[in-house]
Amino acid sequence: MKRGIISIIGLFVLSGYIAADPLPGAAWHMTGFGASALASGGAVVQGRGTPADAIANPAALAASEQTLLELTGGAFGTDDIISGLGLSLPTSRGILTFNGLWSTTEESTNLLAGTALGLRTSFSKLITPHFHFGFGLNLVHVLRSPDDEARLGIAADLGFIILQNATAGEKKESALESGFGIFDIAFGLSFNNLGVNPSWDGWEQHPDARTASGISFTFFKSEYLRLDTLHDITLSFDGFRMRYSGGLGIGLFESIWLRSGLMFGNHGMGNVTLGASIDLRHLFGDTGFDLSWAWVPLDWNGRDQYSHILSLSMVL
């Protein structure tokens, strides 16, 4: 318990150093992040079982046994529109996930590329119940950029997840635990956008090649209430700069969630994020859905703006 608390304090201390050398906003804005991840400051670690989780870590859905569809849409500020369509399919070999991404802005001088399309595919598999592996391939087509030239990018992702409780027996035993402690620990490691990424004068890579490592766990649970936290550190290979993301989730009956997050190291982004979700998959199983909302503050072009992102994930 003490070691866990010391580790969390260490992450927040490190975030002070990270904030001093921020990543460009374009590096953070590869569209398609689900609203629950954005509400948690961009931290994902093992994900929440939606197709968009595979964008951050291609191993996120390795244990999924259901066909999933996810729709994401919203606006970053007043001009920048993002949308995403995700589909996850279980097969006898593993889990195939596809995420189609689109972003556009009316002002080519903004931090986003003018208009960009992306396709992210991933394959994930259980190596053991406790060790998950994933591999992804990404295609990005920037249709309009600040210098009015189109660009193509192709890159790969690699991800790993290690779970404390993964077998049916371990999950059953964990469900009987209650009170304060450190429960259901998960570690995540990913390498993202390794390859050729679009770039142009005055901009760094979009999105940037990077690696992220994180931890998530539950620190209180009862029959009705659950408190989760997740934290990750991202190292960008484009200038070797760092970012911290952390989130807190408060769940009632594991179906109604309030979320908040902190993020440091993103140029033009606020440090605090908020969100909420209704997750009925635990109640209805094969016919459930998850509806999530995220609020993200921005400071672009000298203006305070606020983003609202919605994600709907359904079990088909």
Side-chain angles (χ1 to χ4, degrees), residues 18 102 127 133 138 157 170 176 200 239 257 305:
I18 295 170
W102 173 71
I127 304 302
F133 166 80
N138 314 319
D157 295 339
E170 290 170 341
L176 299 175
W200 46 85
W257 288 86
Q305 302 185 45

Side-chain angles (χ1 to χ4, degrees), residues 8 11-12 14-15 18 23 28 33 37-45 210 212-216 229-235 242-248 260-266 270-271 273:
I8 294 172
L11 287 173
F12 279 92
L14 180 60
S15 69
I18 295 170
L23 289 168
W28 189 75
F33 279 100
L38 289 170
S40 300
V44 176
V45 189
R210 58 184 181 261
S213 59
I215 181 174
S216 67
T229 186
L230 61 165
H231 308 267
D232 68 32
I233 296 291
T234 299
L235 170 64
M242 300 179 72
R243 180 183 79 232
Y244 164 78
S245 298
L248 171 67
S260 63
L262 289 174
M263 55 183 176
F264 297 96
N266 295 297
N271 293 330
T273 62

Side-chain angles (χ1 to χ4, degrees), residues 71-308:
L71 304 173
T72 297
F76 281 100
T78 56
D79 302 318
D80 306 310
I81 307 300
I82 73 164
S83 62
L85 174 63
L87 179 65
S88 179
L89 302 169
T91 72
S92 59
R93 302 277 183 178
I95 310 299
L96 286 173
T97 304
F98 305 90
N99 278 287
L101 316 170
W102 173 71
S103 67
T104 187
T105 180
E106 296 298 325
E107 300 179 14
S108 61
T109 58
N110 212 320
L111 291 180
L112 278 173
T115 300
L117 298 172
L119 174 64
R120 287 177 171 252
T121 63
S122 65
F123 172 80
S124 56
K125 186 176 179 63
L126 297 179
I127 304 302
T128 71
H130 299 91
F131 182 68
H132 301 179
F133 166 80
F135 173 81
L137 181 64
N138 314 319
L139 299 174
V140 179
H141 185 199
V142 177
L143 303 175
R144 183 169 63 89
S145 62
D147 52 15
D148 292 325
E149 292 187 15
R151 286 174 170 79
L152 291 172
I154 181 170
D157 295 339
L158 187 64
F160 308 92
I161 293 174
I162 299 175
L163 301 176
Q164 177 189 22
N165 299 316
T167 66
E170 290 170 341
K171 292 180 180 179
K172 184 177 180 179
E173 182 179 346
S174 175
L176 299 175
E177 297 176 321
S178 63
F180 287 96
I182 297 181
F183 312 104
D184 304 324
I185 303 172
F187 297 95
L189 175 66
S190 65
F191 299 87
N192 304 91
N193 308 313
L194 304 179
V196 179
N197 297 293
S199 61
W200 46 85
D201 292 342
W203 292 54
E204 282 81 3
Q205 298 172 7
H206 178 83
D208 61 328
R210 58 184 181 261
T211 181
S213 59
I215 181 174
S216 67
F217 57 89
T218 298
F219 62 91
F220 176 82
K221 58 182 177 178
S222 67
E223 184 178 358
Y224 310 106
L225 185 67
R226 184 182 181 104
L227 303 179
D228 293 344
T229 186
L230 61 165
H231 308 267
D232 68 32
I233 296 291
T234 299
L235 170 64
S236 171
F237 298 137
D238 183 19
F240 293 95
R241 286 167 288 188
M242 300 179 72
R243 180 183 79 232
Y244 164 78
S245 298
L248 171 67
I250 303 173
L252 184 63
F253 299 104
E254 295 195 32
S255 297
I256 300 175
W257 288 86
L258 298 177
R259 303 184 186 281
S260 63
L262 289 174
M263 55 183 176
F264 297 96
N266 295 297
H267 179 65
M269 306 299 299
N271 293 330
V272 178
T273 62
L274 299 172
S277 64
I278 299 175
D279 187 353
L280 299 182
R281 294 172 298 177
H282 296 284
L283 297 179
F284 298 106
D286 294 338
T287 59
F289 67 89
D290 177 284
L291 178 63
S292 297
W293 162 78
W295 174 86
V296 183
L298 311 171
D299 179 14
W300 284 0
N301 299 330
R303 294 182 298 169
D304 292 331
Q305 302 185 45
Y306 303 96
S307 305
H308 297 276

